[in-house]
Amino acid sequence: MFEVIVVGGGHAGCEAAAALARMGLATLMITIDLDRIGEMSCNPAVGGIGKGHLTREIDALGGIQARVTGRAGIQFRMLNRGKGPAVQAPRVQADRELFRIEMQRELGTLESLHLYQGMVAELLVSGGDVTGVRTEDGNQFGARAVVLATGTFLDGLIHIGRHTRPAGRAGDPPSNQLARQMRELGFESGRFKTGTPPRIDGRSVDFSRFEPQHSDPERASISFWEEPRPPGTRPCWVGHTRTRTHEIVLDHEADSPLYSGQIEARGPRYCPSIEDKVIRFPQNPRHQVFLEPEGIHTTELYVNGLSTSMPIGVQLSMLQSVDGLGQARMTKPGYAIEYDYYPPHQLRASLATRLLPSLFLAGQINGTTGYEEAAAQGLVAGINAARQLQGQPPLLLSRAESYIGLLIDDLVTRGTDEPYRMFTSRSEYRLSLRQDNADLRLAGYGHSVGLLPSDLYDRTQRKLERIGEIKACLTDTLLTAEQVNPVLEAWESPAVDQPVRALKILKRPQVPCSAWLEALSAFGHEFNQESFVQVWVECKYDGYLAREERKRLELRRMEGARLPDGIEYAELMTVSLEGREKLDRVRPVNLAQAARIPGLRVSDLGALVIEIARRRSA
Ligand SMILES: Cc1cc2nc3c(=O)[nH]c(=O)nc-3n(C[C@H](O)[C@H](O)[C@H](O)COP(=O)(O)OP(=O)(O)OC[C@H]3O[C@@H](n4cnc5c(N)ncnc54)[C@H](O)[C@@H]3O)c2cc1C
């Protein structure tokens, strides 16, 4: 008997299993193929805007995705370096095989984690809760909680042109029995689809037609705790489709499962197939194509931007129509896959299902897309399954303090009618929720739940102390006009004629952080760069940050108005019928969450406030 079983060895499953084992629970991971634990089903890259924020937060809490990525990375970039700090984010191109190896190595260090290769066919359910699982080979495993992280496998169906075949992803079988049982148990399910582009042999590419995109020289670490240990670096390559590519797509529109009616499920709007891009945006004469290395020891390239489910012959013609790919040899065709997901209003914010209190769902199964979104949920599901068994309240992160909280709140409160992907624009607090301060925001939680070791947590405390010291020093330091004017002039910022407080002059919009760090060092103030950045951002954006803080306080106030768990919404006759149905579907835990339910009328919210007050005073 295990304490917890994690079904699935993808990004959600790995993160859940690692959290559980590190929190001391006897954990069993069951997955279809042990060799494919940590498989990157789509492009071998982690991070990007919004997604990179999630990875940094996972890392800050003590999760494993960022560290594994740093060990397998072959191209490291900080995106949007020239833009504001809220939208800068790390992105790492990984060696696909090495990522898997490093993930498996990381899991192999965990004594409480056991592995079993098998296909879970059924959840064991007794007394209204899950009690274990049965695998297709007839083995049964008991557990006090189960985390389901089965990705795109439930009733998965691959499409390439008119050809379809049941599969979980290329090379893996689908998980059909489990999908059937979930429906029988009463879970509401939906269908989504996603797709992947063809891969090509790099030796058949004319790279002179592409722009190289190299690693940043400083290889910014995606983890707060570990420097990257890349096996080497490789560039990505940027090129474009041509008119001919678009003509091929249009000529074969009827062969595309997306447009022939063969695929009905919704796909990720922000990761469109080339068919979608050409047909929906006919005004664009060309689209970007990124050739991304699959690894350090392979010549295979991932053709990002050319996701497609066209017949194989059409895929090859499309590829060869791209400038520089005239002789391209395809190594794997692209495909689309349809799969079951469970609309996430069926979950509590802990990621436990309402139907079976010890069953947790994490990852693509909840309607999200992406490794980072999956890992974030896996981490939360793992932590909360552990806390449930430890008799502790769940870890519920607020959307005001983290992208992870935002992700889960959006899912359980608003649901999603397309595969959900994280963007910084989803956050009302994006200047405070930066990738550079995720450790300061979240390490305390990671440490208190027993995931982040004390020595790492202490590092964030030292960082906080340094930030305080820098602020104090800059508040006290008066800089003369002779000292600051050369810096201001170099960045075309108006000169000063009086001495100025160092903390005040940091606000100058034109002058970058690095210029002040260098100048202050020349004036005898050596500051730790990581800590100085925090002071600079706080100083430069203090007005905006103060506004976010006011919003955060208002949210906290509304979050404090808790709604009783067993409230019978059907009986609240002062709330409209539609409002009662919406409230019953989401079952918000507090007024703030109720206010975010899409379409809930202000009058219904008002009636709810009165009802809570009436019950309290009764
Ligand atoms: C074709 C394709 C294209 C994609 N395109 C994109 C994209 O463009 N952008 C993007 O961000 N993301 C994309 N993704 C999604 C990305 O791969 C997933 O979001 C991410 O891998 C989800 O992680 P997960 O842990 O939820 O599931 P997965 O990584 O899919 O892992 C599922 C795991 O569960 C195991 N499993 C399944 N059923 C069972 C069972 N019954 N018993 C035991 N084990 C089981 C599997 O073996 C696997 O280990 C794509 C995925 C696919 C397949």
Side-chain angles (χ1 to χ4, degrees), residues 192 280 395 467 546 585:
F192 276 159
R280 284 177 24 210
L395 174 70
I467 291 170
R585 188 173 153 92

mmCIF file of all heavy atoms in Angstrom, residues 192 280 395 467 546 585:
data_model
loop_
_atom_site.group_PDB
_atom_site.id
_atom_site.type_symbol
_atom_site.label_atom_id
_atom_site.label_comp_id
_atom_site.label_asym_id
_atom_site.label_seq_id
_atom_site.Cartn_x
_atom_site.Cartn_y
_atom_site.Cartn_z
ATOM 1 N N PHE A 192 -10.363 18.477 -26.630
ATOM 2 C CA PHE A 192 -9.489 19.508 -27.170
ATOM 3 C C PHE A 192 -8.571 18.849 -28.183
ATOM 4 O O PHE A 192 -8.482 17.613 -28.249
ATOM 5 C CB PHE A 192 -8.639 20.143 -26.067
ATOM 6 C CG PHE A 192 -9.319 21.250 -25.301
ATOM 7 C CD1 PHE A 192 -8.863 21.618 -24.038
ATOM 8 C CD2 PHE A 192 -10.394 21.945 -25.837
ATOM 9 C CE1 PHE A 192 -9.467 22.645 -23.325
ATOM 10 C CE2 PHE A 192 -11.013 22.976 -25.132
ATOM 11 C CZ PHE A 192 -10.543 23.323 -23.873
ATOM 12 N N ARG A 280 -6.682 31.882 -41.804
ATOM 13 C CA ARG A 280 -7.314 32.936 -40.988
ATOM 14 C C ARG A 280 -6.656 34.299 -41.153
ATOM 15 O O ARG A 280 -7.249 35.322 -40.850
ATOM 16 C CB ARG A 280 -7.300 32.528 -39.514
ATOM 17 C CG ARG A 280 -8.373 31.484 -39.248
ATOM 18 C CD ARG A 280 -8.417 30.940 -37.849
ATOM 19 N NE ARG A 280 -7.860 31.793 -36.822
ATOM 20 C CZ ARG A 280 -7.285 31.339 -35.718
ATOM 21 N NH1 ARG A 280 -7.174 30.054 -35.513
ATOM 22 N NH2 ARG A 280 -6.821 32.159 -34.810
ATOM 23 N N LEU A 395 -2.354 24.133 0.230
ATOM 24 C CA LEU A 395 -1.611 25.343 -0.139
ATOM 25 C C LEU A 395 -2.386 25.998 -1.282
ATOM 26 O O LEU A 395 -2.459 25.443 -2.383
ATOM 27 C CB LEU A 395 -0.196 24.977 -0.613
ATOM 28 C CG LEU A 395 0.615 26.156 -1.159
ATOM 29 C CD1 LEU A 395 1.004 27.110 -0.041
ATOM 30 C CD2 LEU A 395 1.864 25.674 -1.891
ATOM 31 N N ILE A 467 18.824 43.597 -0.118
ATOM 32 C CA ILE A 467 17.955 44.603 -0.751
ATOM 33 C C ILE A 467 17.729 45.761 0.227
ATOM 34 O O ILE A 467 17.827 46.937 -0.137
ATOM 35 C CB ILE A 467 16.618 43.958 -1.187
ATOM 36 C CG1 ILE A 467 16.879 43.008 -2.350
ATOM 37 C CG2 ILE A 467 15.582 45.007 -1.568
ATOM 38 C CD1 ILE A 467 15.700 42.118 -2.720
ATOM 39 N N ALA A 546 2.611 50.590 -6.351
ATOM 40 C CA ALA A 546 1.714 51.001 -5.258
ATOM 41 C C ALA A 546 0.264 50.755 -5.665
ATOM 42 O O ALA A 546 -0.561 50.315 -4.864
ATOM 43 C CB ALA A 546 1.939 52.470 -4.927
ATOM 44 N N ARG A 585 -21.992 25.684 -9.816
ATOM 45 C CA ARG A 585 -21.026 25.014 -10.697
ATOM 46 C C ARG A 585 -19.596 25.249 -10.201
ATOM 47 O O ARG A 585 -18.794 24.340 -10.110
ATOM 48 C CB ARG A 585 -21.201 25.585 -12.106
ATOM 49 C CG ARG A 585 -20.441 24.896 -13.198
ATOM 50 C CD ARG A 585 -20.892 25.497 -14.528
ATOM 51 N NE ARG A 585 -19.866 25.416 -15.540
ATOM 52 C CZ ARG A 585 -19.752 24.411 -16.402
ATOM 53 N NH1 ARG A 585 -20.596 23.422 -16.360
ATOM 54 N NH2 ARG A 585 -18.796 24.409 -17.302
#
